[in-house]
């Protein structure tokens, strides 16, 4: 199955980057083990209470997206290749109204914002952002540039609106936007 003609090469680049950061063993597939490593980092980087909230959201995302993409009806293997992932993402965007998908994503990113705003001051600090992206294995040397890209009003924090918009931009915008840095700088190449 080929990708829909309407897919942008920049969107594919972002999705390929996301796939690469989740493919922890770099075997070209995302497996349950890869997804579980994100959960393990959450428990390592956060308090037990805060990690539990983040893990619940991560499991929701896995259940709603990764597991359906990974399950192959002809066997019990739970994994997905990059090609399968890109096809699934593009078909999802073709087969469902994009505004509906954005609405569901907005709900998810609002919940995620609440979970990573550890001190509940209504903004994500550089420390809170760093703690979150480290769960995905983002290199610490890239955190400042990514944080600055998402802090579009340049006030030193990421507001709920900036965070949610960046998450949506990452998964839906066809052109380069600040949201391209949501999961770290895009992979070179």
């Amino acid at each position: 199955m080929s990708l829909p003609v309407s897919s942008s090469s920049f969107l594919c680049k972002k999705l390929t980057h996301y796939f690469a950061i989740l493919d922890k063993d770099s075997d070209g597939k995302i497996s349950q083990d890869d997804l579980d490593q994100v959960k393990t980092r959450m428990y390592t980087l956060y308090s037990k209470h805060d990690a539990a909230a983040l893990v619940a959201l991560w499991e929701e995302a896995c259940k709603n997206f990764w597991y359906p993409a990974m399950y192959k009806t002809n066997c019990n293997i739970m994994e997905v290749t990059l090609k399968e992932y890109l096809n699934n993402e593009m078909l999802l965007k073709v087969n469902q109204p994009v505004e509906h998908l954005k609405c569901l994503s907005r709900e998810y990113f609002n919940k995620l914002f609440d979970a990573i705003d550890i001190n509940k001051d209504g903004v994500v600090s550089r420390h809170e952002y760093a703690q979150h992206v480290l769960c995905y294995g983002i290199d610490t040397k890239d955190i400042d540039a990514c944080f600055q890209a998402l802090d579009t009003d340049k006030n030193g924090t990421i507001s709920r609106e900036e965070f949610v918009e960046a998450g949506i931009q990452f998964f839906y915008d066809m052109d380069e936007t600040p949201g391209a840095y949501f999961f770290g700088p895009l992979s070179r190449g």
Side-chain angles (χ1 to χ4, degrees):
M1 176 183 296
S2 61
L3 294 175
V5 177
S6 64
S7 64
S8 101
S9 61
F10 189 69
L11 179 59
C12 287
K13 183 175 181 174
K14 291 187 294 184
L15 297 175
T16 299
H17 167 74
Y18 183 60
F19 183 94
I21 63 173
L22 292 180
D23 182 12
K24 298 301 181 191
D25 56 9
S26 301
D27 66 352
K29 300 174 203 161
I30 294 178
S31 66
Q32 184 65 52
D33 288 341
D34 293 318
L35 298 176
D36 286 347
Q37 285 187 44
V38 175
K39 287 195 309 191
T40 299
R41 285 180 186 237
M42 288 175 180
Y43 280 113
T44 301
L45 294 167
Y46 287 90
S47 71
K48 187 176 181 180
H49 176 267
D50 294 332
L54 280 166
V55 166
L57 280 172
W58 179 242
E59 288 177 343
E60 177 185 325
C62 289
K63 180 181 142 201
N64 292 329
F65 176 74
W66 285 109
Y67 295 158
M70 292 167 68
Y71 182 72
K72 297 176 177 48
T73 56
N74 59 346
C75 60
N76 288 328
I77 298 173
M78 293 288 287
E79 61 186 29
V80 63
T81 65
L82 175 60
K83 183 178 179 181
E84 291 166 336
Y85 167 65
L86 291 174
N87 281 333
N88 188 62
E89 271 289 314
M90 295 305 154
L91 287 172
L92 186 66
K93 288 171 175 62
V94 167
N95 292 328
Q96 292 191 40
V98 173
E99 289 310 312
H100 172 70
L101 294 171
K102 285 183 177 181
C103 182
L104 294 174
S105 295
R106 192 170 304 286
E107 289 176 28
Y108 175 79
F109 288 119
N110 268 296
K111 290 178 192 176
L112 184 58
F113 179 90
D114 290 338
I116 68 171
D117 178 17
I118 299 302
N119 64 5
K120 305 302 180 211
D121 64 354
V123 294
V124 171
S125 67
R126 186 218 173 270
H127 173 76
E128 289 167 327
Y129 173 76
Q131 197 170 9
H132 174 65
V133 296
L134 287 172
C135 294
Y136 297 95
I138 304 304
D139 194 317
T140 55
K141 71 178 174 46
D142 295 323
I143 291 173
D144 284 334
C146 295
F147 182 84
Q148 290 170 12
L150 300 185
D151 178 18
T152 58
D153 65 6
K154 306 302 179 206
N155 70 352
T157 61
I158 300 172
S159 69
R160 177 182 300 274
E161 182 180 325
E162 289 169 326
F163 183 84
V164 172
E165 186 61 27
I168 290 170
Q169 287 173 355
F170 184 88
F171 286 104
Y172 297 98
D173 283 11
M174 303 285 184
D175 301 314
E176 192 161 351
T177 60
Y181 291 87
F182 196 76
F183 293 104
L186 296 183
S187 304
R188 310 313 184 251

